[in-house]
Amino acid sequence: MKTSIENSLPPCSKVWIYQSTRRFTQGEAETIREKVKQFVAQWNSHKVGVAGDGELLFDRFIVLMADELQVGVGGCSIDSSVHFIKSLGNEYRTNFFDRWLIAYKKDDTVLACNREEFEKLIEAGEIADDTIVFNTLLNTKKDFDGKWEVPYSESWLKNLRSSHVSFSSIL
């Protein structure tokens, strides 16, 4: 299982993180990794190849990166990546677009739950300040490299909770 991306893209590279509602089996993960690599190899913006990278991490997250210093990524190229992710979701019967799915580590296992379950885990003491959570809202490789896996106490989730606003009241 891959847990990180090693590449030479610049820190300002654009990042998209798609989280599956389920963990993939080893066989599925191998196939998805190959499909992601194939997509990135043919990814274009205005008929020019995107200098990018992609990977399946923790058998759950698809991360795409693009060096916009080389080729700007927008419009059709973003649409093609979204179409690709949606097609994977359909093929593997999962949803990559549930933005309120919260992933966290328990021991060395990555688990995920919805916002209501996450609040209950906090209240029950199952989620502590040092629990690692995943920030899927990052925009750059620099942020991804330093702020993707963070302790709950340093996450945007903690700030939201400390403002006494429930997750369900902001939707």
Side-chain angles (χ1 to χ4, degrees):
M1 166 175 50
K2 289 220 32 156
T3 60
S4 64
I5 296 178
E6 305 280 328
N7 62 41
S8 61
L9 295 173
C12 62
S13 295
K14 178 77 174 128
V15 171
W16 296 267
I17 304 168
Y18 298 96
Q19 177 180 197
S20 172
T21 52
R22 69 177 182 88
R23 183 174 181 220
F24 297 108
T25 67
Q26 183 178 355
E28 289 172 329
E30 290 172 12
T31 303
I32 291 169
R33 268 192 196 87
E34 183 59 34
K35 289 181 180 199
V36 168
K37 294 298 182 191
Q38 289 171 0
F39 171 77
V40 171
Q42 61 78 42
W43 195 9
N44 286 306
S45 180
H46 305 287
K47 299 182 183 179
V48 176
V50 171
D53 197 4
E55 187 57 76
L56 175 67
L57 300 178
F58 293 99
D59 296 339
R60 179 181 290 272
F61 304 94
I62 293 178
V63 179
L64 299 176
M65 294 183 180
D67 178 358
E68 292 194 299
L69 296 175
Q70 305 244 348
V71 177
V73 178
C76 293
S77 55
I78 291 174
D79 289 349
S80 71
S81 66
V82 169
H83 177 75
F84 168 68
I85 298 296
K86 283 183 179 179
S87 71
L88 284 177
N90 290 336
E91 183 177 352
Y92 290 94
R93 294 189 170 106
T94 190
N95 180 359
F96 286 103
F97 295 93
D98 182 349
R99 296 297 182 202
W100 280 109
L101 186 66
I102 301 166
Y104 62 97
K105 281 185 178 176
K106 183 170 184 162
D107 301 318
D108 287 330
T109 303
V110 175
L111 302 172
C113 61
N114 66 34
R115 65 187 182 278
E116 291 88 9
E117 292 167 337
F118 194 76
E119 281 188 335
K120 289 177 184 172
L121 290 170
I122 294 167
E123 291 166 8
E126 299 275 331
I127 302 291
D129 281 348
D130 63 346
T131 301
I132 298 298
V133 296
F134 292 85
N135 184 353
T136 59
L137 304 176
L138 304 172
N139 291 312
T140 65
K141 182 183 177 205
K142 178 182 179 185
D143 286 343
F144 179 82
D145 289 344
K147 299 178 184 176
W148 187 46
E149 295 182 53
V150 296
Y152 169 65
S153 63
E154 297 174 23
S155 74
W156 67 272
L157 296 164
K158 178 76 171 193
N159 294 334
L160 182 64
R161 180 117 175 119
S162 67
S163 68
H164 303 290
V165 176
S166 72
F167 292 123
S168 58
S169 70
I170 63 169
L171 293 180

